[in-house]
Amino acid sequence: MNARTLALLLLLLPSTAEAQFPLPWRRRKPEPPPAQLQPQWPAQPPAAQQAPPAQAPVQAAPAVVHPAPQPVQPQGLTPLQQEDKARLLKLARDASLTPAATVRDAEDRMERWKMVMLIDPGDVEARLGYEQAQKGLDAARLKEETERTSKEARDKELTEKRDRLRMAERALYARDLNGAEGILNDVLRQHPDDPRASSLMDMLRDARRASELRRRLMYGSAGLLSLAIVLGAWARRVYRTRKREAQATGDHARALVKVVDGVGRGKLVPITRDLLRIGAAEGAGDGDKNDLVVSDVQAAVSRFHCVIVRKGRDYFLLDSSLNGTRLNYRRLDRGEHHILRDGDEFVLAESARIKFLRT
């Protein structure tokens, strides 16, 4: 029992309690002396008033026992109780004008009607007001319980949503785009205006676009690599085929020399090796003879006068003679090499003129 209820009970103490525990702020009004109670004697029974019959013997009258007088209980309320009742009744009526917003309000209203009933238990209005306040208290408790249950459900839903968004974020960072998309779709279906879910969905779309771009680049790179491999294999196959054909047909010699003037005029010598030696020496062994033998009457052409060297697709003329060699009317120094082009002519010691041809 709180202090407020205790104060109300002290205010509503009956007269006997007030006599034993007088309140300091309330004076007791002098009560009028009780009226003298007159005992009520019972009437004489009819049998005692009748005369006995003549034949009956005379008997002594029985003694009459008078009951003890009973005090008369006061009817109604004292003026002080009536004053307290009126004040509390007004407070209870004022509180009943508006519906109880909380359980505390409903309990306060019920306590006011209860105080009125403590003063006057037979007051019908107080009894009806107390019952109505009890119903209001039950309704307020039900409303409060419903609101609490609803709040718990909302908190649980928010907690579940927060956990699911955290799972979607972890799946997104782990590149599990399908799992993240399923979770975000469920959350947005229930909460379409959730900003965090919308932001994560935008991040998911960006990640999908980036993944699609990487996939296309990877496929494109793989396609280019495959194409390069195919082209390389095709080029290698073509090169080998042409090399075999050149070896089979002798077409490997793509250049030749022709004696234009001098001994052996009109002679053609194809260049089939990387080195073509030209001079006057004619030995029995391969190391003692030239590929193109050029002789003259004055013996001006050296034994190994010059050589044509092939490097890849280019041909070079290298002079090693004593009497010199002229290439396109330009004298070459001994040991000097010069690249040959189609149609170039070189003269050996002013005795033989040779022309270089490319096929």
Side-chain angles (χ1 to χ4, degrees):
M1 182 179 296
N2 53 20
R4 185 174 180 179
T5 305
L6 181 60
L8 289 174
L9 288 175
L10 291 176
L11 290 174
L12 301 177
L13 285 173
S15 58
T16 55
E18 290 178 355
Q20 297 176 4
F21 306 100
L23 299 177
W25 63 85
R26 179 178 295 179
R27 286 186 176 182
R28 291 192 56 190
K29 296 181 180 181
E31 296 182 0
Q36 297 295 330
L37 298 178
Q38 299 295 331
Q40 300 293 330
W41 301 98
Q44 187 176 1
Q49 298 177 1
Q50 295 179 2
Q55 295 83 6
V58 178
Q59 297 180 357
V64 178
V65 180
H66 299 281
Q70 299 293 332
V72 178
Q73 297 295 334
Q75 301 295 327
L77 303 175
T78 64
L80 185 59
Q81 290 177 336
Q82 292 178 359
E83 180 183 351
D84 290 341
K85 176 184 176 182
R87 180 172 53 82
L88 293 174
L89 191 60
K90 183 178 182 304
L91 293 176
R93 288 171 180 171
D94 294 341
S96 300
L97 293 177
T98 57
T102 61
V103 175
R104 179 69 178 177
D105 296 340
E107 290 178 348
D108 183 66
R109 179 182 304 176
M110 192 172 65
E111 287 293 333
R112 294 184 182 184
W113 287 112
K114 185 177 180 180
M115 293 301 103
V116 177
M117 292 178 61
L118 288 175
I119 297 175
D120 188 3
D123 191 278
V124 178
E125 182 182 2
R127 185 178 295 107
L128 293 177
Y130 182 82
E131 294 176 357
Q132 190 68 25
Q134 181 67 41
K135 294 179 181 179
L137 178 60
D138 296 339
R141 287 176 177 171
L142 179 61
K143 179 182 178 182
E144 191 174 274
E145 181 67 20
T146 304
E147 291 178 353
R148 186 182 62 81
T149 306
S150 178
K151 183 178 180 301
E152 290 178 355
R154 288 195 303 269
D155 293 342
K156 182 179 179 181
E157 184 178 359
L158 290 176
T159 303
E160 291 179 354
K161 182 187 72 172
R162 194 180 302 112
D163 294 341
R164 291 181 66 81
L165 288 177
R166 194 176 295 113
M167 291 174 56
E169 189 173 0
R170 287 198 295 265
L172 188 61
Y173 289 152
R175 296 298 178 184
D176 185 9
L177 301 183
N178 294 330
E181 185 178 12
I183 296 174
L184 290 176
N185 286 333
D186 293 340
V187 173
L188 288 175
R189 191 179 301 112
Q190 299 176 0
H191 309 278
D193 298 331
D194 188 86
R196 187 180 177 189
S198 302
S199 177
L200 290 177
M201 183 59 76
D202 293 338
M203 293 176 60
L204 175 64
R205 296 192 185 99
D206 294 340
R208 281 200 178 279
R209 285 194 290 266
S211 178
E212 182 67 18
L213 180 60
R214 286 195 299 269
R215 186 176 63 84
R216 291 182 179 181
L217 290 176
M218 182 179 63
Y219 288 163
S221 301
L224 291 176
L225 181 61
S226 301
L227 181 60
I229 293 174
V230 171
L231 290 176
W234 176 78
R236 191 180 302 108
R237 182 177 179 182
V238 170
Y239 171 76
R240 290 177 180 176
T241 303
R242 290 183 178 180
K243 184 177 180 180
R244 286 195 300 268
E245 291 177 353
Q247 291 176 354
T249 59
D251 193 30
H252 183 72
R254 295 181 177 276
L256 54 88
V257 291
K258 178 181 179 181
V259 181
V260 178
D261 192 7
V263 179
R265 180 179 179 180
K267 186 178 180 179
L268 294 174
V269 179
I271 303 175
T272 58
R273 293 185 300 178
D274 293 337
L275 191 66
L276 179 70
R277 292 177 292 184
I278 302 174
E282 286 185 88
D286 294 337
D288 298 335
K289 67 177 181 180
N290 295 292
D291 298 310
L292 175 59
V293 179
V294 179
S295 60
D296 61 326
V297 179
Q298 294 83 8
V301 178
S302 300
R303 288 175 53 82
F304 299 98
H305 196 91
C306 64
V307 64
I308 296 177
V309 181
R310 182 176 65 183
K311 292 184 178 180
R313 297 181 61 84
D314 296 328
Y315 295 86
F316 297 89
L317 177 63
L318 178 62
D319 178 52
S320 60
S321 65
L322 295 176
N323 297 323
T325 303
R326 288 188 297 109
L327 175 61
N328 296 330
Y329 306 102
R330 176 180 174 274
R331 185 178 179 86
L332 300 177
D333 295 333
R334 188 175 182 180
E336 181 184 0
H337 63 277
H338 195 276
I339 189 170
L340 294 175
R341 293 181 175 84
D342 186 29
D344 287 347
E345 292 183 355
F346 53 95
V347 180
L348 309 180
E350 304 296 335
S351 298
R353 185 159 55 92
I354 303 173
K355 191 172 185 178
F356 175 78
L357 299 174
R358 300 198 67 156
T359 60

